[in-house]
Amino acid sequence: METASTPTHCPYCALQCGMALSPLPAGGVEVSGRADFPVNRGALCGKGRTAPEVLSAAVRLTSPLVREGGTLVPASWEEALDRVAAGMASVRTAYGPDALGVFGGGGLTNEKAYALGKFARVVLGTSQIDYNGRFCMSSAAAAGTKAFGLDRGLPFPLEDIPRTGCVILVGSNLAETMPPALRYFAELRENGGTLIVVDPRRTKTAEQADLHLAPRPGTDLALALGLLHLVVAEGRTDEAYIAERTAGWEEARAAAMAHWPEYVERITGVSVPELREAVRLFCEPEAAMVLTARGPEQQSKGTDTVGAWINLCLATGRAGRPLSGYGCLTGQGNGQGGREHGQKADQLPGYRKLTDPEARRHVAGVWGVDPDSLPGPGRSAYELLDALGTDIRSLLLMGSNPVVSAPRAGHVEERVRSLDFLVVCDVVLSETAALADVVLPVTQWAEETGTTTSLEGRVLLRRRAVAPPAGIRSDLEVLHGLAARLGVEKGFPTDPEEVFEELRRASAGGPADYSGISYRRLMEEQGVFWPCPADGPQTGAVHPGTPRLFLDRFATEDGRARFAPVTHRALAEEPDDEYPLLLTTGRVVAQYQSGAQTRRVAELNAAAPGPFVELHPRLAARLGAADGDPVAVVSRRGRAVAPARVTASIRPDTVFMPFHWPGEGRANTLTNPALDPTSRMPEFKACAVRVEAVRP
């Protein structure tokens, strides 16, 4: 134990709740919530409370593994790293640098994400790098960048939510995905504000709402356009704001006016009176917000859908004003920072564009390489996984488990198995790691220092609290060792603060400018909001950070926000006679993402032991299935079997499965990899299925 009590942050979701770790007399650590941290104010969910259990050597990897004769066997670090370097070099010699793939994760610290992107482009020379955050926030990021010129999950701190007048929460069940955040919405209602929840299921979050709208999955775009139509028809637009602070209104207005209320009711199933009530609740207060999550984003039209919700904010003057605006509830622990510093296929550190010559010049200067040596943009996450074993022959994977978490997971598993060479760095032997040629055991949250960036855009410092078990190395040490073996002796330090200092320089002047942030500041303050340039408003002053964006101008060239001229379109895969229902997927409170870590915690498994299929009583009656009976959900991509959970809280035309489990109940066996044309986000949230009773 490094100190008696170490302040740090939770390893799971993007709230990054403050916690303290203290040693126990019998060994191990005790976790407690930090009341001084403003986001969670001492509260922790079950995942946070039990996070130290994954630190145990009994549940995690403690030695490198290499494949011998079809079996993974322990090996020394030197042998494992030598084998990885030789495998990568062999593939590069035979097929070229773009035959080497790199796949990262939204749970990696900023330092690790930065180093991974640099390693791919400088050491391997490959363009083929992306990360699992492409599956989480990419549509919101694309829409926010189009509208505002900048993507930051929330452009205001969470503390603003209780003080606004109305929040429309679209496609988020935060009562289960980030429970400590629910208090902000309870306080909103206590203060006289209203909460509107948009979700095809009556979730625990929807039960807290003043108004619950339950649209058919995949129709959120039509719903947003229908609300904007009513805003216009009822004379609720803010014409002065539109004229002063926006562009593109006429085209967006014309598109919305084609979505009259009765038409939208037929598409979505949301009644005209409910549409009118939503508009009234949203428009009557002086301030209001729209917050989206994976529901509207994980669609093949997710960018347009988020753009339509942003249009609603812009038309009513609810963006770039105090206590108002559009925000995205980022999911993964470092989903925000993970897409800012270079592990995304089209980006360089500081949220710079890889295709921008000035951005390439700046970052190459920090890295000490020729800008022309940097490869261009590569494939997006699913496209990269789909190319495994053909164009991409070797994969280095950090912080992800795509065999469970990727869409069309059976196909992705086949592609992973077809690789010439797979290397996985992980804490546990995940389902993907079990297929690897080399598995490298790495440190985790409490065993290493590093920064993350929360859904608020608040950069935070996770501090090392315990020493890792013998035989464990950090991801930074792995990259350092591989770079040296592949001929790059310098530029990959193992000290996270040294990496962060370089990240500061690389991000300076970029959209996500961290140059004014230091470890010392992060230790002394409760995080710092980016952008935070090195110089403050006055020369030589310390920049305070930027908790609230866009109050004076938007980050576009002319300072104006852009409306999105979007129109409703069908899902990539609509129901038909063979597949008459829609499947939607999501999370449960006791598990996290692919479950690779949470499924190793007894308390969490007791609360959520396995997958299930949520279906309406009318559908269950037609199948002759009772609660707990096994049912099969079948799509064009495969079949999953899990117990029925019969509930009236879901639409009769919709079934729901959580996606945390592998094997027979793997929900992502079924999901559709149809991609959004802008964000390249797969359509996780809706695909056509049928449900069958499973007879003994």
Side-chain angles (χ1 to χ4, degrees):
M1 183 66 60
E2 304 279 319
T3 61
S5 178
T6 304
T8 188
H9 294 273
C10 180
Y12 291 115
C13 83
L15 284 181
Q16 287 297 280
C17 291
M19 57 170 56
L21 296 181
S22 306
L24 292 170
V29 294
E30 179 181 46
V31 63
S32 58
R34 282 169 44 201
D36 66 318
F37 188 63
V39 171
N40 59 309
R41 293 176 253 167
L44 293 173
C45 74
K47 294 186 292 292
R49 283 190 298 98
T50 60
E53 293 194 27
V54 187
L55 298 172
S56 168
V59 300
R60 47 100 58 89
L61 296 166
T62 56
S63 169
L65 303 174
V66 298
R67 191 165 296 279
E68 295 286 357
T71 303
L72 287 171
V73 299
S76 70
W77 270 98
E78 297 309 305
E79 178 188 354
L81 291 175
D82 286 347
R83 189 174 295 203
V84 172
M88 289 178 167
S90 174
V91 167
R92 183 168 59 182
T93 299
Y95 302 104
D98 273 358
L100 299 170
V102 178
F103 199 87
L108 300 180
T109 62
N110 289 318
E111 292 81 358
K112 291 191 281 190
Y114 172 85
L116 186 63
K118 181 181 179 182
F119 178 84
R121 296 179 173 105
V122 172
V123 178
L124 301 182
T126 183
S127 66
Q128 300 303 305
I129 175 172
D130 210 65
Y131 82 127
N132 64 14
R134 180 78 67 173
F135 297 158
C136 295
M137 293 76 56
S138 57
S139 291
T145 301
K146 283 184 174 183
F148 307 128
L150 184 69
D151 156 49
R152 195 180 84 184
L154 294 182
F156 42 73
L158 286 162
E159 66 187 39
D160 285 2
I161 290 173
R163 300 189 291 146
T164 193
C166 177
V167 173
I168 302 180
L169 187 61
V170 189
S172 170
N173 183 18
L174 54 80
E176 297 203 58
T177 59
M178 45 181 67
L182 192 61
R183 69 170 59 190
Y184 291 98
F185 299 89
E187 291 169 6
L188 164 73
R189 298 183 71 208
E190 290 168 4
N191 292 340
T194 55
L195 174 63
I196 302 170
V197 171
V198 179
D199 199 303
R201 304 163 60 222
R202 187 164 182 80
T203 63
K204 292 180 180 179
T205 306
E207 289 173 354
Q208 309 300 312
D210 297 280
L211 177 63
H212 172 214
L213 306 180
R216 178 177 176 269
T219 63
D220 311 84
L221 176 52
L223 178 62
L225 289 164
L227 296 177
L228 183 54
H229 176 110
L230 286 171
V231 165
V232 174
E234 296 176 5
R236 296 181 184 270
T237 55
D238 187 333
E239 295 296 332
Y241 172 94
I242 291 170
E244 180 183 351
R245 300 203 60 187
T246 73
W249 169 232
E250 290 306 317
E251 295 87 349
R253 179 184 182 277
M257 296 316 289
H259 297 76
W260 60 94
E262 292 77 12
Y263 173 57
V264 169
E265 180 182 76
R266 289 199 301 273
I267 294 172
T268 65
V270 178
S271 71
V272 172
E274 289 176 311
L275 296 172
R276 294 189 183 279
E277 178 65 1
V279 168
R280 183 188 71 80
L281 292 174
F282 184 70
C283 291
E284 285 189 351
E286 183 178 345
M289 300 173 178
V290 173
L291 304 177
T292 67
R294 307 301 80 76
E297 298 163 16
Q298 288 181 328
Q299 299 182 28
S300 60
K301 55 190 172 190
T303 302
D304 285 358
T305 301
V306 174
W309 288 105
I310 292 174
N311 286 352
L312 184 65
C313 292
L314 296 177
T316 54
R318 306 302 178 88
R321 283 179 168 173
L323 306 181
S324 287
Y326 163 77
C328 161
L329 296 174
T330 302
Q332 294 189 79
N334 196 33
Q336 181 68 53
R339 66 182 183 266
E340 294 169 6
H341 297 300
Q343 65 171 334
K344 197 174 177 186
D346 55 353
Q347 288 176 353
L348 289 169
Y351 227 145
R352 287 181 158 93
K353 294 180 180 178
L354 191 53
T355 53
D356 177 1
E358 176 56 28
R360 294 169 66 88
R361 185 202 63 77
H362 174 84
V363 173
V366 174
W367 289 350
V369 299
D370 183 344
D372 292 339
S373 72
L374 298 178
R379 292 174 171 86
S380 70
Y382 179 78
E383 291 166 305
L384 190 157
L385 295 172
D386 189 42
L388 299 181
T390 53
D391 293 341
I392 298 173
R393 311 300 291 257
S394 170
L395 182 69
L396 170 63
L397 189 146
M398 281 188 175
S400 188
N401 187 18
V403 164
V404 177
S405 63
R408 197 184 173 197
H411 171 72
V412 168
E413 181 175 344
E414 290 175 1
R415 302 319 315 146
V416 169
R417 289 179 180 275
S418 73
L419 282 163
D420 293 2
F421 193 68
L422 172 64
V423 185
V424 175
C425 302
D426 210 331
V427 173
V428 298
L429 191 67
S430 71
E431 286 72 23
T432 308
L435 304 179
D437 296 284
V438 179
V439 183
L440 301 175
V442 291
T443 51
Q444 53 180 308
W445 62 289
E447 301 162 350
E448 59 187 10
T449 295
T451 61
T452 62
T453 306
S454 75
L455 78 171
E456 301 175 295
R458 188 194 300 253
V459 184
L460 301 162
L461 184 65
R462 284 192 198 155
R463 305 185 211 192
R464 173 179 160 128
V466 298
I472 306 296
R473 294 187 184 181
S474 73
D475 294 280
L476 296 180
E477 290 173 317
V478 169
L479 294 176
H480 173 86
L482 291 178
R485 284 167 171 79
L486 290 166
V488 180
E489 297 286 345
K490 297 181 180 179
F492 290 88
T494 60
D495 175 39
E497 186 170 8
E498 189 176 345
V499 177
F500 188 79
E501 288 299 305
E502 184 179 305
L503 182 157
R504 291 174 65 189
R505 298 195 304 275
S507 73
D513 191 336
Y514 283 31
S515 60
I517 304 174
S518 66
Y519 271 31
R520 180 175 178 178
R521 281 193 70 177
L522 295 178
M523 289 179 185
E524 295 172 349
E525 304 175 33
Q526 297 284 19
V528 178
F529 293 86
W530 73 261
C532 183
D535 291 324
Q538 292 82 38
T539 302
V542 175
H543 195 287
T546 314
R548 295 169 181 86
L549 296 170
F550 313 137
L551 295 180
D552 299 318
R553 68 191 307 276
F554 295 99
T556 55
E557 287 187 6
D558 60 6
R560 291 173 174 265
R562 302 290 193 268
F563 280 95
V566 296
T567 189
H568 172 70
R569 62 182 185 273
L571 288 164
E573 184 178 80
E574 291 284 350
D576 56 21
D577 291 343
E578 189 176 1
Y579 301 98
L581 303 168
L582 283 171
L583 168 72
T584 192
T585 64
R587 286 170 47 191
V588 297
V589 67
Q591 301 289 354
Y592 183 73
Q593 304 299 75
S594 74
Q597 295 185 36
T598 52
R599 285 188 274 111
R600 287 166 167 80
V601 177
E603 179 181 328
L604 301 179
N605 279 336
F612 57 87
V613 180
E614 197 173 271
L615 62 162
H616 192 273
R618 293 210 300 262
L619 175 57
R622 290 204 304 271
L623 295 170
D627 201 72
D629 288 350
V631 295
V633 184
V634 184
S635 79
R636 289 178 173 84
R637 288 153 295 281
R639 183 175 188 265
V641 178
R645 184 171 293 183
V646 181
T647 174
S649 65
I650 194 167
R651 292 173 55 98
D653 58 3
T654 301
V655 295
F656 168 83
M657 289 187 71
F659 55 71
H660 309 290
W661 288 274
E664 187 179 51
R666 182 174 61 185
N668 278 317
T669 297
L670 308 167
T671 49
N672 189 356
L675 301 180
D676 180 289
T678 301
S679 69
R680 316 308 288 170
M681 166 78 85
E683 194 154 70
F684 284 99
K685 284 300 179 187
C687 68
V689 298
R690 65 175 181 267
V691 181
E692 302 168 344
V694 176
R695 305 302 179 194

